[in-house]
Amino acid sequence: MKRIAAILSLCLPALSLTPSLHAADAKPNIIHPISEQRRASEVGNSGEMSPARPDESTASGGVKLTTFMKDSGWCWFQDPRAIIHQGKLLIGSVKGSGGGEALIGIYDLQAGKPLGSFVAHDNFDRDDHNSPVFYARPDGSILAMYARHSREKFHYYRISDPRDFTQWSAERRIDHTAALPERDQVTYMNLVPMRNEGRLYNFYRGFQFNPSFVTSVDDGLTWSEDTHFIKSEVPGYQRPYAQYVGDGDATVHVSFTDAHPRNFGNSIYYAAFRDRAFFRADGSKIRDLAAGPLTPSEAELIFRGSGVKTDGRGEGNAPKAGWTSSMAIDSAGRPHIAYSLFLSNSDHRYRLATWDGQKWVDREVAFAGNCLYPKEASYTGLITLDPVDPTVVYISTDVNPSTGAAASGMHEIYRAKATPNDDIKTIKWEAVTKDSKVANLRPIILREGKQRVVLWNRGVFKTFTDYDLEAVGFMETVE
């Protein structure tokens, strides 16, 4: 197994190992003396608890917003950025000011109040790419993992107490130094269980700036050697961007690009990964992973971009460039892909691609409006899908989503029902927020049975290293 260094070892007792991801007799294994733990109540100003409060200034259609967490901030290429577990909502964040602490916000959904924010790592570069992600372990504890944005070769992680999510173990790290070439650093983390294999996957950006992974057979205590997963075919040192969604048992669905949209007119691709091999949506096999990382030309083409390569300097973007935003699978196990399309700095579109069992149905569904700032001209407010019912869609845009006409100038949240037969001509967008004084960005949808939690970043966003945001949203019961 891969070398694992405990960087805050103190007197940490050894963690007992569970034999597999689905061990039925897993016991709580992270109970340490209080002196060896950190509590959410100990984080100082970064973790000040504030009461949940409705925010009528951005409420629409009877929705009352709740502030789930202060000092929020996340990117969208690491997941799950938030989870519901044992009646608690956990949110990963990096503070957009000061030293940029990596934070874990804990909100009690049953009591309707925040329990505080735990500082997972001080001085974490003030970069929203670094925000923690989560995995609920069989013993009831939670694995939280985080990494810097192409600054070093480490992933950091902690494990919570199984009964108290305000208490966390000492920090440990996965050291990729021996595996990655000198030039390569790590970014992102996506935790996806494959129970049929007895493995937990961490998909990240590593080898040659490309999607890579490590795995764990003990629910995140130790990790395997690194594997190169997808390889860019664009000349130069390019970085495909990937979204992952798993069925929890046997398959991980992946949508990805050629490169960064600033550098290349991206197409959007799809592949399924199971049994250490790649497949198309119809189940036909592409090839085994043993033959090397998958290339875009081998995968299924969902949308064809311009294919124009730029030098990536200054402001602007490659023309007609797609960028993945969200993925979900429906009750039949069929994948749904949500992505954005750059036409100009002031004109982006949201699109959905749905596998209907026989073919991909790809269509435009909304106007996404203006970029968030010119240096990152493909940054939009984002589009996201309900993980149980992907026909429920939420977006953030600063224009009328149906016509593209100018609106208030602030990014607002909208929702709609979008079946495979719907496109921008038939979808009826409903405003969730209106008349906002600040932006509403990057929505996430969580499900726990019939409970749906929708949350997003609300506040001022200047760049991915300079923002003042809070996580707001609402809860509702789905019939």
Side-chain angles (χ1 to χ4, degrees), residues 39-58:
R39 292 179 178 271
S41 59
E42 295 173 353
V43 302
N45 291 336
S46 295
E48 289 179 354
M49 291 186 287
S50 57
R53 55 180 175 83
D55 188 344
E56 281 82 5
S57 65
T58 58

Side-chain angles (χ1 to χ4, degrees), residues 74-185:
W74 56 71
C75 187
W76 69 101
F77 289 107
Q78 66 268 59
D79 276 308
R81 289 157 278 170
I83 63 169
I84 302 171
H85 188 54
Q86 297 180 12
K88 309 298 190 298
L89 170 64
L90 284 86
I91 305 170
S93 171
V94 171
K95 188 176 180 180
S97 61
E101 298 98 327
L103 302 173
I104 299 170
I106 308 109
Y107 186 90
D108 190 325
L109 294 172
Q110 296 173 348
K113 66 178 183 179
L115 302 181
S117 292
F118 171 77
V119 176
H121 198 112
D122 293 314
N123 299 314
F124 212 52
D125 297 344
R126 200 175 70 189
D127 186 324
D128 66 15
H129 294 63
N130 305 350
S131 61
V133 301
F134 305 102
Y135 165 68
R137 305 175 73 241
D139 68 356
S141 63
I142 293 175
L143 168 69
M145 184 174 289
Y146 38 100
R148 286 188 163 95
H149 183 190
S150 295
R151 294 286 297 274
E152 55 189 10
K153 300 180 188 290
F154 307 124
H155 279 97
Y156 300 89
Y157 64 99
R158 296 178 185 266
I159 298 176
S160 76
D161 184 283
R163 294 175 294 275
D164 184 353
F165 303 148
T166 68
Q167 299 188 53
W168 294 81
S169 72
E171 185 179 72
R172 297 188 171 201
R173 71 184 186 186
I174 309 173
D175 188 346
H176 304 270
T177 304
L180 297 182
E182 181 178 358
R183 182 179 182 181
D184 297 335
Q185 313 293 339

Side-chain angles (χ1 to χ4, degrees), residues 241-319:
Y241 282 80
Q243 289 281 335
Y244 309 87
V245 62
D247 63 8
D249 292 318
T251 302
V252 178
H253 303 267
V254 189
S255 62
F256 60 99
T257 68
D258 300 278
H260 193 293
R262 185 170 56 239
N263 303 100
F264 193 76
N266 285 327
S267 296
I268 301 294
Y269 305 92
Y270 167 84
F273 179 64
R274 61 179 172 272
D275 298 326
R276 311 292 282 187
F278 300 102
F279 296 83
R280 300 175 186 88
D282 65 4
S284 60
K285 187 174 181 179
I286 300 173
R287 63 170 174 80
D288 291 326
L289 175 62
L294 185 72
T295 59
S297 61
E298 297 174 297
E300 283 193 83
L301 178 66
I302 304 300
F303 171 83
R304 185 178 299 280
S306 70
V308 173
K309 189 176 185 295
T310 71
D311 61 14
R313 298 175 183 174
E315 298 180 351
N317 215 74

